[in-house]
Amino acid sequence: MSILVTGGAGYIGSHTVVELLNAGREVVIIDNFSNSKPEVLERIKQITGKDFKFYEIDYLNRKELEKVFEENEIEAVMNFAGYKAVGESVQNPLKYYNNNVSGAIGLLETMNKYNVKKFIFSSSATVYGEPEKIPITEDCKTGGTTNPYGTTKLFIEQILQDLYKSDETWDIAILRYFNPVGAHESGLIGEEPQGIPSNLMPYVVRVASGDLEQLSVFGNDYDTPDGTGVRDYIHVVDLAQGHIKALEKLEKEKTGIYTYNLGTGVGYSVLDMVKAFEEVTGKKVKYKIVERRPGDIAICYSNPQKAKIELGWQAIKTLKDMCKASWGYMQK
Ligand code: UD1
């Protein structure tokens, strides 16, 4: 039996495939390289010394997707084939709703047809909108997303809830990621944003490497210890391991729909990040304070207790580990 990983060549997908292979799982990847590169597949093999099956297809192509289910014995599906650029989603919402929402629906319909009912979904802390309380627990209200990307995550969560209500033989884990950063310790796989990065860590890396002149810190007048935005940065390898634990949970227990925060439970400010990065790399990260970025919130960090208790999972890597890994990948 295999685990089907859509978007398995992407940033979080590739790290999760490494963990799946290390755990002795058989893996089938589909990817259309819309935001990733074929080399990643070779690198996964290099890291793990293991092989997997690969299909270069767009998961929106129902006919080709069905072929994957015809040709393999799929036990569960992990869906990483989502677009994730917040700014682009505002410019081109239909592209996001089509790929993320229609893509997920097509995938679920195909799973249904082949009677594959275990589904692990990559959601985001963005579904909490302006958080009801900090630290955020899974029962906090969702909604009030500030961009189409976030809304696609919210919609898919709702679709999954409705699906389970209609048919309790589905077995679903919704994983709400906080801010994934870092890279594999080998330096062989990591995040490669196209163009100028909009997320903090990739931007910091490019400033430290001399590629970009300086970081713009979006506001220092928030109600936080140093005035800059606070987030729950989580190492992508910790995050990937969370998926393995979620899969084990679905396999172990009776069917259900489960939602988990995947975060560290610790919040760091933009300036904490800059400082940690400078300490770890010995590089200067030049920055200037600018206006707040529209749509940003002051503080967002998780209460990760539910995942700890129910999945036996906990993030263990520190902010410095994250900086070191991101820098290591950049240098390679
Ligand atoms: C963003 C998305 C979120 C998505 C996540 C993926 C928004 C509103 N949210 O979260 O939906 O799931 O990325 O990781 O865009 N910052 C700077 N200067 C920069 C970049 C960022 O000061 O050049 C600050 C931000 O104001 C924020 C923190 O760094 O306080 C983190 O920003 P970022 O990495 O973009 O993530 P989020 O905005 O938390």
Side-chain angles (χ1 to χ4, degrees), residues 11-12 84-87 123-127 146-147 149-150 153 177-181 191 196-204 214-219 222 228-233 268-271 273 288 290-300:
Y11 175 45
I12 299 169
K84 59 170 186 181
V86 171
S123 189
S124 165
T126 197
V127 300
T146 52
N147 57 73
Y149 155 75
K153 297 294 177 189
Y177 308 162
F178 280 68
N179 289 53
V181 296
E191 188 177 21
I196 296 178
S198 52
N199 294 120
L200 180 63
M201 178 70 101
Y203 205 103
V204 166
Q214 65 182 348
L215 170 73
S216 295
V217 175
F218 299 137
Y222 285 107
T228 67
V230 168
R231 296 290 182 275
D232 186 342
Y233 298 96
Y268 288 108
S269 72
V270 177
L271 297 181
M273 174 67 98
K288 64 165 188 260
V290 301
E291 289 288 286
R292 291 182 179 191
R293 180 172 65 178
D296 272 358
I297 53 178
I299 305 184
C300 176

